[in-house]
Amino acid sequence: MRRGVLMSMVHKDAANLPLWKASTRYEKPPPLCGCLQADSSYIVPKGKYVAALVKGSEGEDNWILAEVVSFNSTTGKYDVDDIDSEEGRERHILSKKRVIALPLYKADPILQKECLYPVMTTIMALYPQTTCFYKGVIHSLPKDSEDHYQILFEDTSYPDGYSPPLKVAQRYVIPFLE
């Protein structure tokens, strides 16, 4: 798949993420709405995108955007495909702890502030125009349901150790795991 087509697909996936709206004033947002995580028993369905911690070609760990192919309940492992593999699909078999479910709903920044990561929270986010997740901090929150987070990515090439603020959709901002 050509790079431009892949980036367009990633952008559309974020744009098509539904906005969660409560049907009553007392209804609580569901797991995977904004920053709310699913419980440990949650199994990401086939065909959904996840952040997956895989070994790179030089043995280093990388968080990538991947698609769930299957989950084996006997072994507790996912089969995922790297969506950016140049040789077609690159399959990885990963334990649940190496897979993070992406949000299924956007949070409304006006009505569900509790579903947004607070400013200066350390997170991982999809670096713009890539399919890799990198460590960063929340610089500013989305102002409305169509807006994005502003993320400061760790980058030693800058004097303060962080990139300038870059926009990242709610879909691609996930908790930082040590």
Side-chain angles (χ1 to χ4, degrees):
M1 180 180 309
R2 288 190 0 222
R3 191 93 188 135
V5 173
L6 177 62
M7 290 301 103
S8 177
M9 184 181 77
V10 168
H11 177 74
K12 273 186 187 173
D13 183 61
N16 291 333
L17 192 65
L19 176 67
W20 185 80
K21 291 188 178 189
S23 55
T24 70
R25 196 167 64 146
Y26 303 104
E27 186 179 8
K28 299 264 187 226
L32 299 176
C33 176
C35 72
L36 302 180
Q37 294 302 295
D39 68 38
S40 61
S41 65
Y42 177 74
I43 305 300
V44 181
K46 177 181 177 178
K48 296 292 185 186
Y49 289 154
V50 295
L53 183 60
V54 301
K55 290 280 184 203
S57 58
E58 297 175 14
E60 75 286 0
D61 282 340
N62 294 310
W63 284 98
I64 64 165
L65 185 60
E67 182 178 352
V68 172
V69 175
S70 65
F71 178 76
N72 183 325
S73 58
T74 304
T75 63
K77 294 189 177 192
Y78 284 98
D79 285 5
V80 300
D81 283 341
D82 180 347
I83 69 159
D84 195 17
S85 177
E86 293 176 17
E87 305 86 37
R89 292 292 180 185
E90 186 177 317
R91 183 136 314 153
H92 301 275
I93 299 170
L94 305 170
S95 67
K96 281 182 77 172
K97 68 181 182 178
R98 295 178 74 87
V99 173
I100 299 176
L102 299 182
L104 298 177
Y105 301 97
K106 280 190 277 193
D108 185 323
I110 297 164
L111 301 175
Q112 285 99 31
K113 288 187 189 297
E114 73 276 14
C115 296
L116 297 175
Y117 292 98
V119 171
M120 297 310 296
T121 299
T122 300
I123 48 79
M124 290 189 303
L126 197 68
Y127 195 87
Q129 300 302 308
T130 75
T131 58
C132 292
F133 290 83
Y134 294 100
K135 185 178 178 184
V137 295
I138 303 291
H139 178 69
S140 67
L141 304 179
K143 295 181 183 13
D144 60 42
S145 61
E146 299 304 314
D147 199 13
H148 300 308
Y149 283 102
Q150 294 275 333
I151 307 295
L152 303 172
F153 287 96
E154 283 190 348
D155 189 335
T156 57
S157 67
Y158 290 93
D160 65 355
Y162 291 95
S163 70
L166 297 170
K167 289 185 175 197
V168 179
Q170 286 187 46
R171 171 80 164 150
Y172 301 120
V173 179
I174 58 174
F176 173 71
L177 302 179
E178 294 281 344

